[in-house]
Amino acid sequence: MDAEYGLPRITVQVWGEAVRPPDLAAQLREVATAVRGLAIQLVRVYQRRGEISPDVPAEEVGPVLPSLLPGFMLQHILFGDMDPRMVGRAVRGLVAGRPGLRRRAAAAVR
């Protein structure tokens, strides 16, 4: 991220504008669909390695991962303290394949 927040600010504005005209929204959906597909494939790889819990299907985990980016960018713009390395560690902690944590998380949802 650049020091002036240029890219995140422009990206947030592009997202806002892209959903307005139907043809642009369709293009954004096409790109987002491709990104979701890649995320699903990546989750499957990490599930096979035991780094992401297989308890939740990749088709459910995959689309959630790219959705973290808008929140990261907004917080980076608003607060300026969102270090990408910190976010990476946090996401890895959230998706880590730790059996004890999975059981407790599943019990909490029930």
Side-chain angles (χ1 to χ4, degrees):
M1 300 275 173
D2 61 55
E4 300 297 319
Y5 307 132
L7 181 61
R9 286 185 178 173
I10 290 169
T11 302
V12 169
Q13 185 172 354
V14 167
W15 288 331
E17 291 298 320
V19 296
R20 294 173 63 173
D23 57 330
L24 204 50
Q27 288 178 339
L28 180 61
R29 254 190 315 281
E30 187 176 314
V31 170
T33 299
V35 169
R36 288 173 116 191
L38 291 171
I40 290 168
Q41 291 175 16
L42 191 59
V43 167
R44 287 184 183 132
V45 168
Y46 282 99
Q47 284 177 326
R48 282 193 295 273
R49 292 181 184 173
E51 296 179 42
I52 292 179
S53 170
D55 294 346
V56 180
E59 294 76 17
E60 293 178 14
V61 176
V64 171
L65 295 179
S67 73
L68 298 172
L69 182 61
F72 165 72
M73 288 188 141
L74 284 172
Q75 287 196 61
H76 185 70
I77 291 167
L78 293 172
F79 303 110
D81 63 352
M82 294 298 290
D83 174 26
R85 291 173 299 238
M86 175 195 69
V87 173
R89 287 190 302 272
V91 170
R92 280 191 294 281
L94 288 170
V95 299
R98 302 192 197 290
L101 294 177
R102 285 197 311 259
R103 281 193 296 274
R104 286 194 295 263
V109 172
R110 290 185 196 137

